[in-house]
Structure formats: structure tokens, C-alpha cells
Amino acid sequence: MTFNESGTQTASLAARYGEMSLPAAGPWNDVIAGLMQHRSVRGYKSDALPPGTLETLIAAAQSAATSSNMQTWSAVAITEPAKKATFARLSGHQGHIMQCPLFLVFLADLSRLARMGATEGKTLEGLPYFETYLVAAIDAALAAQNAVVAAESLGLSTVYIGAMRNDPEAVARELGLPEGCMAVFGLCIGYALPGHESAVKPRLGQAAVLHRERYDPTNDDTVRTTYDRAMLSFSTAHERQGYTWTERMMARVGRVSALNGRDRLADALRRLGFPLR
Ligand SMILES: Cc1cc2nc3c(=O)[nH]c(=O)nc-3n(C[C@H](O)[C@H](O)[C@H](O)COP(=O)(O)O)c2cc1C
């Protein structure tokens, strides 16, 4: 679906929030309508992307804001089937990584600044701090989301792959990453396979996430009850099993094992050249 094919404002808001949690209607345009249509897709045709698509997506990604213009991210484009198979294996055997014609790996990359410092003969005292790692991870996320929006506006589908952090050292070896460079997530890009187009997944009502002047969690439980019903109905209709948001979150953050190795991420980052001081 391209941005121009997106639905009306009320229909879009209803799909995102459900009829019971509609926010007030406000300004609207094709860009917002396109954003409202976002859905992750986990099945891809093998069709190649039109020539120049990668470069267009990277131009969109590089147009995102970046902290102090440091541009502390990079991306590796993976198209070779054997490499996609390796990253699928390292990401919990997610088959869509093998199917998609383009798998972009987004990197938090402090190595470019480190090389610059070496060339300039300067010690970069600020590089080892957790703050600088966070800047790089935020830069990578903002860049990637611009690429996602650009891809979706072109009728392409995407899904992020956070499971690329399950074993960041193995990923770094496969990609030949230098010190101070780590894969924050991957991104599958391609054309949705028929039957895998997916649907707009409901989100929490705005009363849970939007606070005015001061943080106020009093609406949490009411919003959650409504949202549990919406997610149960969405998952029953569109996924293999029905579940509420509460059930899913309790499983996702209730056990260390659900982190799939990412509980060791801080140690892995230190070994990859991020001291996180
Ligand atoms: C940083 C990040 C990592 C993610 N990792 C995965 C992943 O490894 N596998 C997957 O199938 N989906 C992954 N997702 C997709 C989320 O599950 C999805 O965005 C969420 O369920 C909301 O659904 P929607 O994108 O269709 O609205 C990830 C999303 C983000 C933002």
C-alpha cells in the first residue's frame, strides 16, 4: 500500500485505537495517513527492489536528525542468500530474513569517530561513555525509522529484527565490524507475500501514553482493560493464537529467558569496544 492509497482519518484512527478509544480528530495529510497504515510484515516475495531503492532509503535515513550532527550510525546491506541465512539463524531462525530481497543491518557506530581521532592524533575522551553509546543507538533508530517510512511510502513492507542482538559478537564477526561498532537491529525490506500483508495493530489508548504537564498513570488500568480486548480480538483474527497485551507483556518481560541472550548485552558491548562508563 502506498501513502496515497491510505484510508480516511476516522477509519485510520479507528484501526489504530479501536472505536472505543478514538482520539480527537486534528490536522491530517497524506504523510500522517501513511504513518497510520504501518504494519510489520513477516513474509516476502523474492522480487528485487527497483534500481536505486537502497540509495533512496539511505538518503531518507541520513535525512533524520542526528545528535550534534555526529552521524554515529552506519548500515550494512545484505542481499546474498547465504549471508541472509546466517543472520536468520543468529536471529532465532526468523524465515522472513531469508525471504526479503534486502536485509539492512543498522549499526551504532562510534568507530568512524575513533578513526578520525586517530588520524587527527587526538584522544577522544567522550567516546567511552554510556551517553555516547546511547547517542549512537538513538541515531541508528531515528535513521532506520526514516528508512521505514520511506519504504512504506513506496509500497514496500518492512519488519525490524531486534533479535540481531541475541548474539551481538557473532553478528559483529559475520559483518567484520571494527571495535566501537555494533548491530542494534536488522530491517527486512521487500514486497509483502500475498496472505502476509498483515493488518494495522492496535495501540494503547492515548490516555496511557500521553501525559499533560505532569506524569499521571491513573488511567493505566482502564486503558489496559480496553486494550487487552482489542489485542485479543486482533491476535485471534490475524495471528496464530489469541492473546491479550497483558499476557504478552508478562511473558516478554516476566522471565530473563525471554531476552534470548540479550540479558548479557552489556557485557557483550564492553567486549565490542563500548566501555559504557
Ligand atoms: C527495535 C524493534 C525490534 C523488533 N524486532 C523484531 C523481531 O526480531 N522479529 C519480529 O518479527 N518483529 C520484530 N519487531 C516488530 C514488532 O514486533 C512490531 O513492531 C510490534 O509488534 C508492533 O506491530 P506493528 O509494527 O505491525 O505495528 C521489532 C520492532 C522493533 C521496533
Side-chain angles (χ1 to χ4, degrees):
M1 171 168 315
T2 64
F3 274 17
N4 287 336
E5 293 165 303
S6 320
T8 65
Q9 178 171 8
T10 312
S12 296
L13 290 170
R16 188 57 82 196
Y17 291 105
E19 302 283 354
M20 304 303 294
S21 309
L22 279 183
W28 197 257
N29 60 28
D30 284 350
V31 174
I32 299 166
L35 292 171
M36 299 292 303
Q37 288 297 312
H38 161 77
R39 74 282 308 266
S40 294
V41 164
R42 298 179 178 83
Y44 292 91
K45 298 182 196 168
S46 58
D47 299 18
L49 306 184
T53 302
L54 170 60
E55 290 78 3
T56 298
L57 297 183
I58 294 299
Q62 287 193 274
S63 299
T66 155
S67 190
S68 304
N69 201 25
M70 285 197 285
Q71 307 179 59
T72 46
W73 67 276
S74 298
V76 184
I78 307 289
T79 55
E80 286 178 21
K83 289 197 175 147
K84 285 190 284 178
T86 299
F87 293 121
R89 177 176 54 77
L90 289 172
S91 304
H93 301 279
Q94 299 194 48
H96 31 275
I97 299 174
M98 283 189 281
Q99 292 175 334
C100 67
L102 174 63
F103 184 57
L104 275 183
V105 185
F106 280 86
L107 309 171
D109 187 1
L110 299 181
S111 76
R112 192 164 39 241
L113 288 179
R115 289 190 293 277
M116 189 197 295
T119 307
E120 295 296 314
K122 293 271 194 309
T123 304
L124 303 183
E125 291 182 358
L127 268 198
Y129 285 86
F130 177 76
E131 157 64 13
T132 314
Y133 167 72
L134 186 60
V135 159
I138 293 171
D139 269 6
L142 298 179
Q145 183 58 20
N146 261 22
V148 165
V149 172
E152 291 180 348
S153 75
L154 294 171
L156 291 161
S157 295
T158 66
V159 62
Y160 282 99
I161 304 295
M164 285 285 278
R165 297 190 304 275
N166 289 0
D167 187 350
E169 290 168 284
V171 168
R173 278 193 298 277
E174 291 296 333
L175 292 171
L177 300 186
E179 260 199 19
C181 195
M182 65 86 65
V184 280
F185 45 71
L187 184 69
C188 298
I189 303 169
Y191 296 101
L193 201 59
H196 288 75
E197 292 89 352
S198 191
V200 170
K201 187 182 281 185
R203 295 291 195 259
L204 285 165
Q206 291 194 356
V209 304
L210 172 63
H211 306 273
R212 298 183 191 268
E213 315 305 340
R214 192 180 163 79
Y215 191 89
D216 174 11
T218 46
N219 290 315
D220 272 7
D221 286 345
T222 327
V223 172
R224 181 156 65 96
T225 305
T226 308
Y227 188 52
D228 273 343
R229 275 199 293 272
M231 276 307 299
L232 181 60
S233 131
F234 176 87
S235 54
T236 304
H238 301 288
E239 300 184 10
R240 271 167 299 192
Q241 68 188 90
Y243 58 84
T244 66
W245 187 65
T246 301
E247 286 164 355
R248 194 41 74 95
M249 293 306 103
M250 293 303 101
R252 177 66 175 81
V253 283
R255 300 173 278 120
V256 171
S257 61
L259 287 170
N260 291 315
R262 290 177 237 172
D263 45 306
R264 298 186 295 271
L265 187 60
D267 292 336
L269 279 174
R270 290 194 175 93
R271 289 193 291 273
L272 289 171
F274 297 92
L276 307 180
R277 260 176 224 156

